[in-house]
Amino acid sequence: MLSQLKKNWLVPAIAVAAALAFAAPELGVRGGPLRPEVTTRVGVGVIFFLQGLGLSTAALRAGALRWRLHLAVQLFIFVGFPLVIMPADRLFG
């Protein structure tokens, strides 16, 4: 059982974190000792940075060569989506 816990440590860690949050919610409030308004941004940045460091040069090159896909996604997000949402917001807003 101990080897199984070592292999799948995330689930018990989430349970412990939830129990701690229930026991001491004042630690995680805005302006509290853990400063969640800062630590969450820093934590997300560190995670993305470490994931980027783990990418191989071949994977980066393969991703960069798919520029048409990236262009289509960016056009949909920044042009297509607003063209649908803005009129819908005016109609139903």
Side-chain angles (χ1 to χ4, degrees), residues 55-77:
L55 289 173
S56 67
T57 307
L60 288 172
R61 187 177 301 120
L65 290 175
R66 299 183 71 180
W67 65 270
R68 286 184 213 95
L69 173 64
H70 294 295
L71 181 65
V73 169
Q74 296 297 318
L75 282 174
F76 176 75
I77 291 172

Side-chain angles (χ1 to χ4, degrees), residues 7 19 70 86:
K7 194 184 298 183
H70 294 295
M86 290 173 75

Side-chain angles (χ1 to χ4, degrees), residues 1-14:
M1 170 133 169
L2 191 58
S3 66
Q4 192 72 6
L5 279 176
K6 284 182 182 179
K7 194 184 298 183
N8 298 317
W9 58 270
L10 184 62
V11 175
I14 290 173

Side-chain angles (χ1 to χ4, degrees), residues 24 44 46 67 72 91:
V44 169
V46 167
W67 65 270
L91 285 174

Side-chain angles (χ1 to χ4, degrees), residues 28-46:
V29 298
R30 182 176 291 268
L34 293 180
R35 309 291 283 175
E37 61 273 7
V38 175
T39 54
T40 53
R41 292 175 189 257
V42 171
V44 169
V46 167

